[in-house]
Amino acid sequence: MAETRILDVRSLVPAERHRSILAAYHDLDAGSRFILVNDHDPRRLYYWFEAEHQGEFSWRYLDQGPRIWRVEIGRPKMSRVAAR
């Protein structure tokens, strides 16, 4: 089984954080995932994913602060993107 990539964006400026997270998501193959490490709750990012990629991603909190948030973000095997 492949190792899950960890993307720690805490040292990046905000504009680079979103760019890095979205690039990591778009690089995922169907059925794979990465773990996002952040210094705040990325809830607004979840809402963006929900609006832009509904049914094409998974989101599971692993840690919810107060200093570190870790979220497993994945691309399900049967997403609309995988079916194309």
Side-chain angles (χ1 to χ4, degrees):
M1 181 171 229
E3 205 172 302
T4 301
R5 176 181 175 205
I6 296 180
L7 177 61
D8 187 340
V9 298
R10 293 175 291 174
S11 65
L12 300 177
V13 295
E16 290 297 316
R17 289 181 183 201
H18 282 191
R19 193 175 0 250
S20 296
I21 295 165
L22 296 177
Y25 172 73
H26 288 292
D27 285 346
L28 289 177
D29 292 327
S32 60
R33 62 190 179 273
F34 69 95
I35 295 174
L36 168 64
V37 180
N38 205 352
D39 57 8
H40 65 275
D41 186 352
R43 181 178 313 233
R44 288 186 349 176
L45 183 64
Y46 170 82
Y47 294 134
W48 184 88
F49 268 99
E50 188 66 27
E52 297 294 322
H53 298 286
Q54 187 173 30
E56 299 175 352
F57 76 101
S58 61
W59 182 281
R60 182 171 65 106
Y61 282 100
L62 304 175
D63 290 309
Q64 291 183 279
R67 293 187 182 134
I68 295 175
W69 277 259
R70 291 185 329 122
V71 180
E72 181 185 83
I73 300 172
R75 185 174 292 223
K77 287 183 180 181
M78 296 307 294
S79 72
R80 287 182 286 181
V81 172
R84 291 183 192 163

